[in-house]
Amino acid sequence: MNFNYKELLPTDFAADSRVWIYQSNRIFSIAEALQIEDLLNDFAKNWKSHGAPVKGYGNLLFGQFVVLMVKEVGERIPLTIVKADPVKGTITVIVQEVGLSTKLLG
């Protein structure tokens, strides 16, 4: 396993980009991981802020950590992964809306 996470992140994002990291309570199966990665790629490709497209990135790292990045600066926000459903191809996240960054996820 490659523990040098910097090699796994995009290089065209600023050091002060918004980053959200969600930890699952378990390592996802290969089938779940492939579905989650597809969902994250689609989400990042279509990410919009107030109707305007933004440069986004999403990936599953080490089989257990969902990472979302947007090429903007922001604050830390409260998020929790609740579950993954491989049949539906979804992950459920609880987001407490407290400011601009959490509204961007909506």
Side-chain angles (χ1 to χ4, degrees), residues 33-98:
L34 292 172
Q35 288 179 337
I36 289 168
E37 286 180 347
D38 286 344
L39 290 168
L40 290 171
N41 288 332
D42 187 53
F43 174 79
K45 185 174 78 174
N46 297 302
W47 199 337
K48 294 184 180 178
S49 172
H50 305 283
V54 294
K55 181 172 178 57
Y57 167 82
N59 201 354
L60 180 65
L61 298 182
F62 310 116
Q64 188 172 2
F65 298 91
V66 173
V67 177
L68 294 172
M69 296 174 66
V70 67
K71 198 168 184 173
E72 295 178 339
V73 296
E75 70 278 9
R76 294 170 57 160
I77 57 176
L79 304 165
T80 304
I81 291 183
V82 178
K83 66 179 177 178
D85 186 335
V87 174
K88 292 181 182 177
T90 62
I91 57 173
T92 302
V93 178
I94 294 175
V95 178
Q96 181 180 359
E97 190 172 301
V98 294

Side-chain angles (χ1 to χ4, degrees), residues 4-40:
N4 187 358
Y5 69 92
K6 290 183 180 182
E7 292 178 4
L8 304 172
L9 299 175
T11 58
D12 57 342
F13 281 74
D16 59 355
S17 295
R18 289 187 178 123
V19 179
W20 297 272
I21 301 173
Y22 311 97
Q23 180 180 0
S24 172
N25 63 351
R26 63 182 177 83
I27 294 178
F28 294 110
S29 70
I30 295 294
E32 290 172 323
L34 292 172
Q35 288 179 337
I36 289 168
E37 286 180 347
D38 286 344
L39 290 168
L40 290 171

